[in-house]
Amino acid sequence: MRNALARVAPGTPLRDGIDRVVRAQAGALLVLSDEPDVLSICSGGFLVDAPYSPQRLSELAKMDGAIIISTEGGRIARANVHLVPDPTVPTSETGTRHRTAERVARSLDVPVVSASEEMGVINVYAGGNKRQLQEVGHLLERANQALQTLERYKAKLDDAITNLTAVEVEDVATLRDVVAVVQRGEMVHRVADEIETMIIELGFDARLLRLQLDELYGEIDDELDLVVVDYLPAGSVAEDILSEMSKLSDDDVLNLRVASDVLGRAGDNDDLSQEVAPKGLRYLHRVKRLPSGVAEGVAAHFGGLAKIQRATLDDLMSVDGVDESTARAIRETMTRITESTILDQY
């Protein structure tokens, strides 16, 4: 869907042609692919094979049939063709043009654009998804509202991470503290994902939105990966856990007990008050120029953040790959995090 939206974003030649069709109060059915499987369902029409231009598209749209645009978008392959998709493919549409568009998109997995003659509505179909294109002003307003929502969720996520850091330093972290971070991180990701789609749909008009999203979203994914890795059982992969979290409904994500089950920890995940101990990787990754392999080695050697915090220079230097300067850097980082956390609390 995002690839399809990028092709019909404001400022693109294809969108210019579609807007001309709508302004002329004409309808259009555009298949944005000329692959053999698309041509195999075409009947009748004319072989055009001419360079694409918005003017050509608006003129060809005066005919009733579908228009086939080349996959790369640079040529108009055919016009006034009758499409014969698989009639058994389910569709929720009622109009002939929209039903055909959805069936072609579902059965062939190609992007299809349908412009309504009477309503002037432009729908984009890609696979099993449908999205109605909106006016730039309305879409910008929605995107700005989504950015404000993202700011609020980001603030809640920051609070959850700060709280987790505080309880980890005191070695009193609970499953509830961990799940709260993962849960709020997933909600931030969902809002950011929706804004990303809006940015693609807006095209050239979304430059400022892109800057704002990059500033707000930043390195959230990396932070969440480290939180999950810190509490994962052996053999689990953080990406898989976060992927499973993304499949939950909004209600399930907001349910702490359901979200805790996704983490795949052994024991009673319904007991959110149970104490859990981090491996310490999130802290070790803050040590400058410390390779990931060495950080994992330190975490595995000591078996938990609490022991890393208490480790002496000699203890740290007993780990493969840790020399005196690296050991000092680890000690300084641990001390700095502890002190800053205590200061934030008081």
Side-chain angles (χ1 to χ4, degrees):
M1 175 56 74
R2 286 183 174 179
N3 290 334
L5 290 175
R7 294 183 65 177
V8 297
T12 61
L14 187 55
R15 180 60 174 271
D16 186 11
I18 295 172
D19 286 342
R20 285 171 178 263
V21 172
V22 172
R23 287 196 297 269
Q25 295 184 332
L29 178 59
L30 313 177
V31 181
L32 308 185
S33 172
D34 61 346
E35 298 296 326
D37 54 350
V38 173
L39 299 181
S40 68
I41 65 168
C42 294
S43 175
F46 305 101
L47 177 64
V48 179
D49 194 25
Y52 172 85
S53 72
Q55 295 82 0
R56 282 195 176 99
L57 180 65
S58 61
E59 290 298 321
L60 291 171
K62 294 177 181 178
M63 296 184 285
D64 291 334
I67 299 173
I68 310 299
I69 308 294
S70 63
T71 304
E72 75 281 358
R75 301 185 69 78
I76 299 176
R78 298 190 181 190
N80 196 32
V81 301
H82 177 60
L83 297 174
V84 190
D86 184 355
T88 63
V89 175
T91 174
S92 58
E93 299 290 358
T94 53
T96 303
R97 181 181 289 121
H98 296 305
R99 289 173 67 85
T100 301
E102 186 172 20
R103 280 185 168 142
V104 170
R106 282 180 177 272
S107 60
L108 302 183
D109 196 23
V110 295
V112 182
V113 180
S114 175
S116 171
E117 183 174 350
E118 296 180 359
M119 303 293 293
V121 174
I122 305 170
N123 289 327
V124 179
Y125 301 87
N129 298 316
K130 167 190 172 182
R131 192 173 184 93
Q132 180 178 325
L133 298 186
Q134 301 176 13
E135 294 181 358
V136 172
H138 180 62
L139 197 56
L140 280 172
E141 182 180 347
R142 282 187 57 209
N144 285 322
Q145 291 175 349
L147 275 173
Q148 294 174 8
T149 302
L150 180 62
E151 287 179 353
R152 291 194 294 270
Y153 274 112
K154 175 65 164 50
K156 291 181 179 180
L157 174 60
D158 290 341
D159 290 342
I161 291 177
T162 299
N163 176 69
L164 179 62
T165 301
V167 294
E168 284 177 340
V169 166
E170 297 178 2
D171 197 20
V172 291
T174 65
L175 182 58
R176 184 187 303 275
D177 300 319
V178 179
V179 176
V181 171
V182 179
Q183 173 198 64
R184 291 172 184 177
E186 173 60 25
M187 295 307 297
V188 167
H189 177 76
R190 292 187 181 198
V191 177
D193 197 54
E194 181 63 25
I195 297 173
E196 181 69 36
T197 301
M198 293 180 188
I199 287 173
I200 294 172
E201 188 175 347
L202 281 165
F204 186 75
D205 295 315
R207 299 185 309 278
L208 293 179
L209 281 175
R210 165 63 64 190
L211 293 174
Q212 289 175 282
L213 178 61
D214 290 345
E215 182 179 1
L216 279 173
Y217 199 50
E219 300 176 350
I220 288 176
D221 284 341
D222 293 337
E223 186 76 8
L224 286 177
D225 283 346
L226 291 173
V227 169
V228 173
V229 167
D230 249 356
Y231 293 92
L232 275 185
S236 299
V237 181
E239 288 78 4
D240 294 341
I241 299 299
L242 294 174
S243 176
E244 287 299 316
M245 186 70 71
S246 68
K247 296 175 184 177
L248 297 178
S249 66
D250 290 346
D251 289 339
D252 284 342
V253 171
L254 295 174
N255 187 320
L256 286 172
R257 286 185 168 80
V258 174
S260 69
D261 288 336
V262 177
L263 289 178
R265 294 180 55 85
D268 182 10
N269 289 324
D270 287 338
D271 182 11
L272 297 175
S273 61
Q274 63 179 290
E275 291 191 1
V276 292
K279 300 172 185 174
L281 284 170
R282 187 162 67 95
Y283 295 78
L284 290 170
H285 275 269
R286 299 184 187 182
V287 180
K288 293 182 179 179
R289 295 184 292 278
L290 181 66
S292 297
V294 176
E296 292 171 3
V298 172
H301 179 84
F302 290 99
L305 174 63
K307 292 183 178 180
I308 298 175
Q309 289 176 308
R310 294 193 297 267
T312 64
L313 289 179
D314 290 338
D315 293 335
L316 291 168
M317 290 170 62
S318 66
V319 181
D320 289 340
V322 178
D323 54 19
E324 184 177 353
S325 62
T326 302
R328 290 187 183 279
I330 293 173
R331 287 292 307 140
E332 290 171 0
T333 300
M334 293 296 168
T335 301
R336 183 175 66 252
I337 293 173
T338 301
E339 290 177 351
S340 63
T341 302
I342 293 174
L343 288 174
D344 287 341
Q345 286 181 290
Y346 299 101

